[in-house]
C-alpha cells in the first residue's frame, strides 16, 4: 500500500476533527470559559443585556489574590451573538484611581453589576452593590473589607459598550415606607438596633421584625447588598436586593428614567436571609425568583418562589436544584436569569462558582431552567448542554 496518500488522508481527517472540535458549541458549567483571546472570562456576579441582536455580559473584573475580591479595575464587558462565544470588550466602568474621596475609588467593593436599557431616554443604566472605601473598613493596603455601607451605585452610558459614567450612590427609599409597612415599623426604634448586624442569620438570631431594622434605616434609606434588576413588559424596572442586614428582600420600582427609586417598594420573606436574588417572568405572566441563602462565598441550597404579581403575594417553592449536589446549588450562587431571545419560555440560570482565595479563577455555572406546569421551576445538573434543550 502506498503510504503517502494514506498519510494525507489521515492528516486531512485529523484537521477535520480539530475544526469540528472548534465548531462544537456547548456550555460546560463550572469549567473555565475562554473568550475570543483564549483568556478565561472575567465577569463575575454578572448580568446579561440583550440589545439589537447582541448579548452584553457585564460582570465584576477580578484580579489574582484575595485583594481581587475588591474592585481593583472595574466592570468588564463581553459580547456574543450565540451565547457560546464571547468577545472581550474591555472595562466599561473604571474604578477611580485619582480621587480617594470617590465612591468607586480603587479598593471599594463593586458587586453584581446589572445593565438595563431605557427605551424613553435611550440610556443604558447600570446598578451595582457598592461599598465605598471608608476609614472604618480600610485595610493597610487600602482595600475595603467591610459591607456596612450597603449602598447601590448607579452609572449610565449612551452606548452598551460604555464607557459608563458614575452618577451617585444611594441607600434606597429614604423616608419612604414599603407598601406592606406594619404599625410597629413606625414606632420609636430601640438603641439596641443602632448597630449593623453581620451578614448571616447567625448574627441576627431573632426575627428581624423584633428589631425593626426597617424603622432604623427609614431616614437614611434602606440597606441594599446583593441585587438584580428586572424590566417588566410594561417597561417598568425593578431593583431587587437583600436589605435589612440581609434578612429581607426588597422589590423596589425604579423611576421612569431608571436612575433612582420611585419610592414604591415591598418587603418580602422577612428574616429568611435570601441573597443573590434573580427574577424571571414566564410567557403566561408568572414571576419566579431564584435566590441563595446567606453564607458569604460558600455555596448553600438555592431557594425559589413564585407570584402572579411582581409585588406578591410571593409563595416559596424551595430549592429548584434536583440533581446530586443540589444542597450547594452545584457549588454555585445565583447571579442572573437570562431570557433567551426568540425562544418562548427559554431561560438560563446564571451562577458563580466563587474562588475567594483567588477570585479571578471563579467559574460560571449556567443551566437551563425547566418551568413545570407554569408552577415550579427546576434546575437539573448538566455536564454539557446546548440551546437545543429548548427545542
Ligand atoms: C456573598 C455575596 C457576594 C459577596 C460575598 C462577600 O454572600 O453573594 O456577592 O458579597 O457574600 O462575602
Amino acid at each position: 500500500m502506498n503510504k503517502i496518500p494514506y498519510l494525507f488522508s489521515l492528516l486531512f481527517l485529523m484537521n477535520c476533527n480539530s475544526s469540528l472540535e472548534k465548531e462544537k458549541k456547548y456550555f460546560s458549567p463550572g469549567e473555565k470559559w475562554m473568550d475570543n483571546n483564549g483568556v478565561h472570562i472575567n465577569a463575575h456576579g454578572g448580568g446579561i443585556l440583550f440589545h439589537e441582536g447582541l448579548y452584553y455580559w457585564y460582570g465584576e473584573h477580578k484580579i489574582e489574590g484575595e485583594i481581587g475580591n475588591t474592585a481593583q479595575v472595574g466592570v468588564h464587558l463581553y459580547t456574543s451573538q450565540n451565547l457560546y462565544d464571547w468577545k472581550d470588550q474591555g472595562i466599561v466602568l473604571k474604578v477611580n484611581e485619582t480621587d480617594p474621596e470617590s465612591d468607586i475609588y480603587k479598593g471599594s467593593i463593586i458587586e453584581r453589576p446589572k445593565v438595563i436599557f431605557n427605551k424613553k431616554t435611550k440610556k443604558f443604566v447600570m446598578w451595582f452593590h457598592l461599598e465605598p472605601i471608608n476609614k472604618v473598613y480600610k485595610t493597610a493596603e487600602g482595600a475595603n473589607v467591610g459591607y456596612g455601607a450597603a449602598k447601590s451605585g448607579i452609572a449610565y452610558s449612551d452606548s452598551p459598550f460604555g464607557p459608563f459614567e458614575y452618577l451617585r450612590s444611594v441607600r434606597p427609599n429614604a423616608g419612604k415606607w414599603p407598601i406592606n409597612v406594619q404599625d410597629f415599623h413606625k414606632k420609636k426604634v430601640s438603641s439596641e438596633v443602632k448597630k449593623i448586624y453581620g451578614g448571616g442569620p447567625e448574627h441576627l438570631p431573632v426575627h428581624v421584625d423584633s428589631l425593626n431594622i426597617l424603622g432604623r434605616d427609614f431616614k437614611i434609606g434602606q440597606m441594599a447588598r446583593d441585587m438584580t434588576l428586572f424590566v417588566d413588559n410594561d417597561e417598568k424596572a425593578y431593583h431587587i436586593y437583600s436589605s435589612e442586614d440581609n434578612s429581607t428582600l426588597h422589590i423596589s420600582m425604579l423611576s421612569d428614567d431608571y436612575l433612582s427609586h420611585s419610592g414604591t417598594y415591598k418587603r418580602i420573606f422577612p428574616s429568611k436571609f435570601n441573597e443573590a436574588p434573580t427574577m424571571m417572568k414566564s410567557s403566561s405572566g408568572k414571576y419566579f425568583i431564584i435566590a441563595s441563602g446567606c453564607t458569604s462565598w460558600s455555596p448553600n441550597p438555592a431557594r425559589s418562589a413564585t407570584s402572579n404579581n411582581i409585588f406578591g403575594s410571593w409563595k416559596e417553592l424551595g430549592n429548584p436544584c434536583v440533581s446530586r449536589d443540589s444542597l450547594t446549588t452545584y457549588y454555585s450562587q445565583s447571579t442572573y436569569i437570562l431570557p433567551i431571545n426568540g425562544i418562548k419560555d427559554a431561560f438560563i440560570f446564571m451562577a458563580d462558582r466563587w474562588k475567594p482565595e483567588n477570585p479571578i479563577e471563579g467559574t460560571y455555572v449556567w443551566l437551563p431552567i425547566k418551568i413545570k406546569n407554569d408552577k415550579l421551576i427546576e434546575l437539573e445538573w448538566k455536564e454539557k448542554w446546548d440551546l437545543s434543550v429548548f427545542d
Side-chain angles (χ1 to χ4, degrees):
M1 183 188 161
N2 185 345
K3 284 198 181 126
I4 308 264
Y6 171 75
L7 267 178
F8 269 122
S9 43
L10 195 68
L11 278 174
F12 175 75
L13 274 176
M14 279 167 63
N15 197 29
C16 277
N17 267 348
S18 68
S19 49
L20 270 181
E21 195 61 37
K22 270 188 214 141
E23 284 304 304
K24 254 193 209 165
K25 305 279 185 211
Y26 49 74
F27 304 105
S28 320
E31 298 292 311
K32 286 223 158 147
W33 195 345
M34 302 306 169
D35 67 8
N36 59 311
N37 301 317
V39 177
H40 177 50
I41 293 174
N42 196 341
H44 309 263
I48 292 184
L49 167 77
F50 179 78
H51 185 74
E52 295 179 352
L54 210 54
Y55 290 97
Y56 296 81
W57 177 355
Y58 302 88
E60 304 159 25
H61 178 99
K62 306 273 197 186
I63 66 162
E64 299 259 345
E66 273 181 50
I67 192 148
N69 293 311
T70 64
Q72 298 295 317
V73 178
V75 175
H76 206 139
L77 168 68
Y78 296 80
T79 55
S80 175
Q81 282 175 332
N82 61 9
L83 293 172
Y84 305 107
D85 304 305
W86 291 92
K87 183 166 179 207
D88 185 356
Q89 301 285 2
I91 301 298
V92 291
L93 177 73
K94 288 197 169 74
V95 295
N96 184 305
E97 296 197 53
T98 51
D99 174 12
E101 295 299 309
S102 162
D103 278 350
I104 58 164
Y105 191 64
K106 190 173 172 178
S108 60
I109 291 175
I110 294 179
E111 288 181 343
R112 301 183 176 274
K114 306 286 177 289
V115 174
I116 51 180
F117 177 60
N118 189 298
K119 286 192 180 155
K120 274 192 208 138
T121 63
K122 307 265 178 267
K123 300 271 186 241
F124 295 83
V125 180
M126 179 190 290
W127 285 70
F128 49 92
H129 168 202
L130 173 70
E131 300 291 340
I133 285 277
N134 72 45
K135 293 180 190 71
V136 181
Y137 296 114
K138 212 149 65 169
T139 65
E141 304 87 54
N144 196 346
V145 290
Y147 280 79
K151 294 185 103 181
S152 307
I154 309 151
Y156 66 95
S157 173
D158 291 328
S159 158
F161 292 98
F164 280 77
E165 192 171 324
Y166 177 70
L167 189 59
R168 63 170 171 268
S169 69
V170 290
R171 271 290 193 92
N173 298 310
K176 307 274 185 206
W177 292 114
I179 303 168
N180 53 345
V181 65
Q182 290 170 271
D183 285 346
F184 69 84
H185 286 133
K186 299 189 177 175
K187 293 208 176 116
K188 200 171 179 308
V189 176
S190 82
S191 55
E192 165 54 9
V193 77
K194 288 274 150 61
K195 86 176 216 235
I196 302 263
Y197 292 85
E202 66 281 9
H203 300 283
L204 196 69
V206 292
H207 192 282
V208 63
D209 286 348
S210 70
L211 290 173
N212 190 14
I213 292 177
L214 185 88
R216 177 195 73 190
D217 292 343
F218 177 72
K219 279 202 189 121
I220 57 167
Q222 299 300 324
M223 299 177 96
R225 291 195 183 115
D226 282 10
M227 54 144 280
T228 194
L229 296 178
F230 175 79
V231 182
D232 212 334
N233 304 357
D234 59 2
E235 300 303 321
K236 294 246 180 278
Y238 297 84
H239 182 207
I240 300 133
Y241 48 90
S242 304
S243 193
E244 303 178 37
D245 276 310
N246 294 345
S247 69
T248 305
L249 282 179
H250 287 189
I251 300 179
S252 188
M253 191 195 287
L254 296 182
S255 56
D256 286 346
D257 60 9
Y258 300 171
L259 295 173
S260 51
H261 293 96
S262 68
T264 303
Y265 71 108
K266 183 150 185 193
R267 333 167 52 220
I268 62 166
F269 307 134
S271 247
K272 291 286 174 87
F273 287 89
N274 287 287
E275 278 201 315
T278 61
M279 189 181 275
M280 61 179 257
K281 188 182 186 182
S282 75
S283 57
S284 74
K286 275 260 166 76
Y287 297 83
F288 293 92
I289 284 176
I290 303 180
S292 74
C294 193
T295 53
S296 185
W297 302 114
S298 312
N300 55 52
R303 297 99 183 266
S304 59
T306 190
S307 173
N308 292 326
N309 297 295
I310 192 147
F311 284 133
S313 57
W314 282 90
K315 182 179 164 215
E316 289 177 85
L317 299 174
N319 187 349
C321 301
V322 292
S323 315
R324 215 182 104 199
D325 299 323
S326 63
L327 293 181
T328 58
T329 314
Y330 314 121
Y331 301 101
S332 73
Q333 186 184 29
S334 41
T335 182
Y336 198 67
I337 297 178
L338 171 66
I340 299 174
N341 179 54
I343 316 182
K344 195 174 159 193
D345 285 328
F347 298 91
I348 297 181
F349 170 75
M350 293 170 53
D352 293 278
R353 199 171 269 185
W354 302 115
K355 296 270 160 44
E357 59 302 332
N358 197 21
I360 192 170
E361 286 191 343
T363 59
Y364 312 98
V365 171
W366 285 24
L367 291 169
I369 297 179
K370 205 185 274 170
I371 309 176
K372 297 187 104 182
N373 302 327
D374 214 24
K375 286 200 169 97
L376 276 184
I377 45 179
E378 238 178 48
L379 291 172
E380 208 177 274
W381 173 253
K382 295 194 182 317
E383 209 69 40
K384 269 185 187 170
W385 66 281
D386 61 44
L387 294 175
S388 68
V389 299
F390 296 115
D391 287 350

